[in-house]
């Protein structure tokens, strides 16, 4: 069967803290095999503004309507960057989804952390996920070898970014889709559910750790495809009326 080019064919992926863009390899492959043009943003993680700027630079280069997906901290980034005119829909992958005047930290503190959670600041105010808890607390459904690589490649995430409030929440004006990772030990699944419910996000629950996009790439890809196809279908209906 010949591969068909989707109507909305661009997908931009934004990674979260304690990881980098290399984690999107399997999801990249799932989506490109389905005909999508996928770009992965490498966030500096130094501030919300810097991460939004890095994302906007990638969005500027897209040649048409784009699905913008973010994992974890990347949810805050796409909440601001999603105002870019090329964005057709937002996909939150076990991600923070603050409203105007809210920070990711505000939501992180809205429920008790799991015992496996190992987010710790250093003397410079940079947050890291400690090694002894990284596998169980961040990516329990991956192999130890994969967890060790991810731990070694995590970026330096400035705690001040985590506490920065959203100024213009794009999900208020753009269609939003959300994935709850049901076995998440980094962001309590109930926090994810509460954010998505408040914003009327279309929710899919997937059994997986915080890095569900690595352990369940086909299921995460299916949600991104659903976002692209449903928005394209709505546009076709609007155009025919």
């Amino acid at each position: 069967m010949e591969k068909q080019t989707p109507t909305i064919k661009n997908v931009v992926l934004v990674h979260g803290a304690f990881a980098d863009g290399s984690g999107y390899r399997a999801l990249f492959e799932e989506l490109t095999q389905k005909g999508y043009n996928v770009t992965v943003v490498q966030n500096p993680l130094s501030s919300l503004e810097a991460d939004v700027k890095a994302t906007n630079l990638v969005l500027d280069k897209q040649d048409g309507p784009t699905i913008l997906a973010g994992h974890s901290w990347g949810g805050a980034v796409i909440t601001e960057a999603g105002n870019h005119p090329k964005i057709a829909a937002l996909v939150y992958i076990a991600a923070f989804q603050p409203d105007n005047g809210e920070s990711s930290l505000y939501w992180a503190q809205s429920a008790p952390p799991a015992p496996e959670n190992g987010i710790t600041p250093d003397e410079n105010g940079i947050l890291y996920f400690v090694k002894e808890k990284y596998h169980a607390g961040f990516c329990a459904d991956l192999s130890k070898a994969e967890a060790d690589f991810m731990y070694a490649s995590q970026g330096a995430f400035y705690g001040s970014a985590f506490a920065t409030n959203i100024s213009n929440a794009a999900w208020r004006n753009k269609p939003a889709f959300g994935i709850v990772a049901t076995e998440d030990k980094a962001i309590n699944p109930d926090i994810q559910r509460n954010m998505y419910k408040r914003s009327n996000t279309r929710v899919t629950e997937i059994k997986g750790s915080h890095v569900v996009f690595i352990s369940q790439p086909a299921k995460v890809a299916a949600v991104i495809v659903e976002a692209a196809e449903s928005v394209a279908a709505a546009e076709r209906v609007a155009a025919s009326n």
Side-chain angles (χ1 to χ4, degrees):
M1 187 173 176
E2 187 177 345
K3 179 173 68 177
Q4 299 208 345
T5 302
T7 306
I8 297 176
K9 65 183 181 69
N10 297 318
V11 177
V12 171
L13 304 174
V14 180
H15 68 81
F18 322 120
D20 74 350
S22 66
Y24 278 128
R25 180 64 183 267
L27 184 57
F28 170 89
E29 291 175 350
E30 288 281 346
L31 290 167
T32 54
Q33 288 168 9
K34 298 179 188 303
Y36 290 87
N37 169 50
V38 183
T39 309
V40 179
V41 178
Q42 291 288 3
N43 299 334
L45 300 176
S46 54
S47 68
L48 175 61
E49 294 79 8
D51 286 2
V52 170
K53 181 178 180 180
T55 303
N56 280 328
L57 288 172
V58 170
L59 295 176
D60 288 342
K61 296 182 183 301
Q62 303 304 302
D63 62 2
T66 301
I67 303 299
L68 182 60
H71 170 247
S72 192
W73 158 251
V77 179
I78 71 170
T79 295
E80 286 283 6
N83 293 293
H84 193 285
K86 291 181 181 176
I87 298 308
L90 304 166
V91 178
Y92 291 82
I93 306 169
F96 287 109
Q97 192 192 55
D99 198 357
N100 298 333
E102 296 176 351
S103 67
S104 296
L105 179 62
Y106 166 81
W107 277 101
Q109 293 177 334
S110 66
E116 297 89 345
N117 190 302
I119 301 171
T120 305
D122 71 3
E123 65 277 8
N124 298 309
I126 296 172
L127 302 179
Y128 292 100
F129 212 105
V130 297
K131 189 169 187 176
E132 58 269 23
K133 291 190 173 185
Y134 193 94
H135 192 188
F138 199 73
C139 51
D141 49 1
L142 303 185
S143 69
K144 183 180 183 300
E146 288 176 295
D148 287 347
F149 173 77
M150 291 181 66
Y151 170 80
S153 61
Q154 68 176 299
F157 180 48
Y158 283 70
S160 55
F162 204 43
T164 301
N165 288 342
I166 295 296
S167 60
N168 187 11
W171 54 259
R172 287 184 161 273
N173 305 300
K174 304 282 178 84
F177 298 74
I179 293 169
V180 174
T182 62
E183 311 303 307
D184 201 326
K185 304 300 183 184
I187 301 178
N188 187 314
D190 284 338
I191 294 177
Q192 298 170 42
R193 294 181 183 106
N194 291 339
M195 289 185 293
Y196 301 159
K197 182 178 179 181
R198 180 270 302 270
S199 62
N200 293 317
T201 292
R202 191 182 303 182
V203 177
T204 301
E205 298 214 356
I206 300 174
K207 185 176 181 179
S209 74
H210 189 54
V211 296
V212 66
F213 62 95
I214 301 177
S215 62
Q216 301 283 352
K219 292 182 179 180
V220 172
V223 175
I224 293 173
V225 170
E226 179 193 2
E229 292 181 347
S230 66
V231 171
E235 289 175 350
R236 286 193 296 270
V237 170
S240 65
N241 291 335

